[in-house]
Amino acid sequence: MAKPPKSISPFRLASLLRLQKDPNLALHLFLNPNPNANKPFRYSLLSYDLIITKLGRAKMLDEMDQILQQLKTETRFNPGEIIFCNIITFYGRARLPDRALHIFNQIPSFRCQRTIKSFNTLLNALLSCREFGKMREVFVGLNRFVAPDACSYNVLIRAGCLMNDLGSAREVFDEMQKRGVRPDAVTFGTLISGLCAGGKLDEAFKLKEDMERGFRVRLDGFVYASLIKGLCKVNELSLAFKLKDEMLERRVELDSAVFSTLISALFKAGRKGDVVGVLKEMKENKCKLDAITYNAMIYGYCQEKDFDAAFGVLSEMEKRRCKPDVVCYNVIIGGFCREGKFREATELFEDMPRRKCAPDVVTYRTLFSGLCDGKQFQEAALILDEMVFKDYSPSAASIVKFVDELCQAGNLKLLWTILNSLAKGNLIDSVTWGRVIPMVCENNKLLNASALIETLLILSRGLDLITNCSPSSENKRQCVDEKRPSSASSSWTESDFTPFDMKLLRGYGGFWTAAYTGWLRTAEARVLLSKEKEVPSMEDNLILSALPKGTTPRSSPSYKGHAMAINERLYVLPIPHADRVLQAVPSPGVGH
DNA sequence: TTAGGGTTAG
């Protein structure tokens, strides 16, 4: 007879969790440490820490929340502030500012004291979400309870730099000194980097002087790397190399960041031959090449259309046990696309999972816009659909470009396909609607599309994000039934909408208005079809004309669009989908 | 794992 499995101790659970790479398995293990035991498991604080960190890193934030609720009920120990700092950071990375703020406010309920540390983490998380207004609010509010330190000000300075508002970054720099907080190396590093990025090299060098002479803060690699990049950007390569030598003289540790910048600049200046010297110097300084250094070379070779050399670097990385990262593949895929090597680009993209590298939003955007530029419409449509499925969005410009190209090519069939994909991701904005509608009307030999466009304009006009409201499905159904345009008018005006509608439209802002209109029209089309009106108005025609030819709705279409034969088409999206369109949140850009 | 630099697209 098999022996019953030995029950595991809290200590053993922690070490098992540490070893488990798969976050799902780790979660399962955490939730069922001893499946056959009948008394509750006494989790250690370390186990909580490990599972929360694992789930957070894997972006399994709902599961992480579940564990947090459990942690709240544990009274045997008091969790340290660091756990909450990590959680706040995870929310920041996931662009969930409200949840970051919420957990920050909840910290005391976990029997943990908040300090400037979690406050600064919150500020930084809000910065990751580009919630500058909220940052200010939080800073002003908490200022009354706790004195900001250099780190707090450094986050604010970085916010100024990212907003391209170097003036306000400077103001923060002055303010911190007024309040007796000494700027440190990070303060100068942040400000100098911002000045270099903004092309204010003179100011940056002046600040470097002040840092050293006036403030007696030691220069470090961060400051040098920013300045060297700034010089390279304006083609001052010899000055950049001089600065690197200054680092050697002053015994500032030379790191891969400085060398990567120089290598990248040499390639861009067409001085590939000089890269060998830099690599040699790296070796002399015992500085290892990292993925970024290799990527600088790969990019250089791709710009020169030397893909063999680029793949050579890739093999070299593997040989040196430096795992190629996603940027590495993005660079090569981009290079292939620029050269019209779409098959190669797609093959490498498809090979990424085998190479144990997940494509990111940049990979998709690069491939998508490359395929569009090369008029590889079918492939582009496939990538687009996959992108939307993954909740990534192409840039608004490339969507419009793609739609324009399809309109020009008269490829209505593919146009419907991609509009369908875009609708799934709530990615059709008023510009796209504006491009598509005339196309549809022209194709159906209708008089003109001005009525619809006018409608879109009316709805988009001056609508700001004022309120947030989440309508019930009953509300929406009422909208559909009541929202018939007045018969005298051929287009919709504000008077055709109840105050509720207008509130709804305002709540979602101008950007969403077009999607909302699309949804209303969807339902509208369905109402029209179900009523089998004898003499369709021009408005009816317009909507019906948008339906692809040859699609015959069943006799009694219901609001549950899935029963309809045409529900795959854009204008007849199923209602549950429309609900999602309405409730969707704008997808963030990179890093989403 | 409270904050800053270097490689990719748009």
Side-chain angles (χ1 to χ4, degrees):
Chain A
M1 218 173 86
K3 268 198 262 176
K6 205 179 149 199
S7 67
I8 62 172
S9 66
F11 181 78
R12 176 91 181 118
L13 176 67
S15 49
L16 287 173
L17 285 174
R18 206 192 291 277
L19 290 170
Q20 182 50 258
K21 293 273 181 282
D22 184 329
N24 281 300
L25 293 177
L27 177 61
H28 185 260
L29 187 64
F30 182 90
L31 295 174
N32 313 281
N34 286 325
N36 298 321
N38 40 20
K39 55 179 183 182
F41 191 82
R42 288 170 69 84
Y43 290 95
S44 64
L45 180 56
L46 179 59
S47 294
Y48 276 106
D49 196 346
L50 287 166
I51 192 67
I52 286 172
T53 311
K54 264 195 192 358
L55 295 172
R57 280 192 187 145
K59 301 196 172 77
M60 294 168 65
L61 301 181
D62 290 331
E63 290 85 348
M64 184 181 83
D65 267 354
Q66 189 195 332
I67 305 294
L68 265 175
Q69 290 315 312
Q70 191 176 323
L71 174 62
K72 207 181 232 181
T73 63
E74 295 275 10
T75 47
R76 292 171 294 126
F77 40 66
N78 301 340
E81 190 182 17
I82 185 72
I83 296 186
F84 301 102
C85 290
N86 289 338
I87 295 166
I88 292 169
T89 304
F90 294 139
Y91 285 134
R93 283 188 199 149
R95 307 280 189 271
L96 295 167
D98 292 333
R99 283 169 80 171
L101 203 53
H102 180 253
I103 189 68
F104 173 77
N105 289 324
Q106 289 279 305
I107 296 176
S109 70
F110 287 84
R111 308 160 306 281
C112 173
Q113 181 92 36
R114 284 181 293 189
T115 73
I116 188 74
K117 223 167 158 177
S118 50
F119 167 61
N120 289 339
T121 311
L122 175 66
L123 264 189
N124 198 45
L126 293 174
L127 176 58
S128 302
C129 305
R130 301 293 184 265
E131 289 279 0
F132 301 115
K134 276 206 178 86
M135 281 180 77
R136 195 171 304 129
E137 251 171 58
V138 164
F139 187 82
V140 172
L142 278 136
N143 224 335
R144 284 182 261 141
F145 305 102
V146 59
D149 63 5
C151 178
S152 326
Y153 287 110
N154 291 344
V155 177
L156 294 187
I157 288 174
R158 182 147 182 269
C161 293
L162 287 173
M163 282 197 290
N164 227 344
D165 186 354
L166 290 168
S168 87
R170 276 280 189 182
E171 275 170 29
V172 177
F173 179 70
D174 295 338
E175 172 70 16
M176 73 191 281
Q177 291 167 70
K178 268 187 222 152
R179 298 200 33 181
V181 179
R182 229 176 89 82
D184 61 11
V186 178
T187 317
F188 288 101
T190 311
L191 207 43
I192 287 175
S193 152
L195 289 168
C196 289
K200 304 197 168 189
L201 277 182
D202 292 343
E203 276 184 57
F205 275 98
K206 168 79 177 50
L207 200 59
K208 175 192 173 235
E209 283 292 312
D210 292 348
M211 174 181 180
E212 220 182 352
R213 303 260 160 81
F215 290 86
R216 306 250 162 221
V217 178
R218 198 176 135 73
L219 296 166
D220 64 9
F222 285 82
V223 169
Y224 275 105
S226 300
L227 290 168
I228 288 173
K229 188 185 175 185
L231 288 170
C232 290
K233 217 164 116 184
V234 292
N235 281 323
E236 291 285 2
L237 259 73
S238 59
L239 285 179
F241 273 90
K242 265 191 192 154
L243 214 51
K244 183 261 301 168
D245 292 336
E246 185 183 300
M247 290 180 80
L248 276 171
E249 283 161 27
R250 300 194 182 183
R251 296 169 186 255
V252 177
E253 197 189 343
L254 278 156
D255 58 15
S256 66
V258 170
F259 289 114
S260 303
T261 314
L262 291 171
I263 289 172
S264 167
L266 285 174
F267 266 106
K268 281 175 185 154
R271 290 171 53 188
K272 182 177 56 172
D274 294 334
V275 171
V276 187
V278 177
L279 292 175
K280 193 166 154 251
E281 199 172 348
M282 283 184 84
K283 207 171 175 184
E284 285 165 4
N285 285 282
K286 295 193 172 47
C287 176
K288 272 184 81 175
L289 282 82
D290 61 13
I292 297 183
T293 324
Y294 286 114
N295 286 340
M297 287 191 271
I298 291 175
Y299 182 70
Y301 285 126
C302 287
Q303 290 292 89
E304 293 190 333
K305 305 169 196 173
D306 188 348
F307 296 103
D308 288 339
F311 275 100
V313 176
L314 209 60
S315 322
E316 178 75 12
M317 286 176 85
E318 277 154 3
K319 211 158 62 189
R320 304 247 173 234
R321 291 178 185 278
C322 175
K323 190 179 177 293
D325 64 5
V326 68
V327 176
C328 180
Y329 295 106
N330 292 349
V331 166
I332 303 180
I333 289 171
F336 275 145
C337 286
R338 270 195 305 276
E339 289 313 303
K341 296 178 180 289
F342 302 113
R343 191 173 50 81
E344 288 88 339
T346 312
E347 272 173 13
L348 184 59
F349 168 74
E350 283 168 356
D351 201 31
M352 286 177 71
R354 192 188 62 80
R355 292 169 178 260
K356 298 203 178 351
C357 180
D360 67 358
V361 65
V362 178
T363 322
Y364 279 98
R365 285 184 178 178
T366 305
L367 188 58
F368 176 69
S369 69
L371 291 169
C372 288
D373 287 341
K375 303 197 191 304
Q376 308 288 307
F377 300 137
Q378 292 287 351
E379 291 77 3
L382 287 175
I383 295 297
L384 179 66
D385 201 52
E386 203 174 310
M387 241 175 137
V388 172
F389 179 75
K390 289 205 172 178
D391 235 4
Y392 291 151
S393 62
S395 67
S398 61
I399 295 177
V400 172
K401 210 173 151 209
F402 193 21
V403 168
D404 277 347
E405 297 260 19
L406 290 177
C407 288
Q408 237 170 43
N411 193 341
L412 257 190
K413 195 173 168 230
L414 201 55
L415 184 62
W416 291 126
T417 311
I418 69 126
L419 285 173
N420 227 333
S421 297
L422 290 171
K424 275 189 240 163
N426 195 12
L427 294 168
I428 309 184
D429 63 6
S430 50
V431 179
T432 310
W433 282 114
R435 295 292 219 282
V436 174
I437 290 161
M439 171 74 190
V440 172
C441 295
E442 196 181 310
N443 215 269
N444 288 275
K445 301 201 168 35
L446 261 170
L447 294 173
N448 61 60
S450 60
L452 251 136
I453 292 169
E454 196 189 321
T455 306
L456 288 171
L457 286 176
I458 289 168
L459 292 175
S460 309
R461 200 180 55 209
L463 296 177
D464 295 314
L465 263 166
I466 299 166
T467 54
N468 240 336
C469 76
S470 183
S472 70
S473 49
E474 191 50 41
N475 287 149
K476 284 180 226 158
R477 198 163 299 179
Q478 280 171 5
C479 288
V480 178
D481 287 334
E482 292 168 12
K483 260 6 103 262
R484 301 282 300 114
S486 46
S487 53
S489 154
S490 62
S491 71
W492 303 48
T493 65
E494 281 184 19
S495 62
D496 291 316
F497 292 87
T498 63
F500 169 80
D501 280 322
M502 291 316 291
K503 191 179 163 212
L504 181 75
L505 293 168
R506 286 194 188 98
Y508 285 96
F511 186 82
W512 305 113
T513 323
Y516 180 73
T517 316
W519 167 71
L520 261 181
R521 285 178 184 284
T522 301
E524 185 70 16
R526 210 169 275 146
V527 171
L528 291 172
L529 290 167
S530 66
K531 285 184 181 161
E532 291 177 1
K533 289 171 58 158
E534 283 164 26
V535 186
S537 67
M538 183 201 151
E539 182 78 15
D540 300 344
N541 264 330
L542 209 49
I543 294 159
L544 290 167
S545 73
L547 299 173
K549 294 183 192 88
T551 49
T552 318
R554 293 187 186 168
S555 52
S556 58
S558 72
Y559 273 100
K560 294 179 184 154
H562 55 75
M564 298 174 72
I566 49 175
N567 70 3
E568 285 305 296
R569 303 298 178 179
L570 175 72
Y571 280 75
V572 197
L573 294 170
I575 289 291
H577 180 121
D579 289 354
R580 195 161 56 75
V581 168
L582 275 171
Q583 285 161 8
V585 188
S587 42
V590 180
H592 174 48

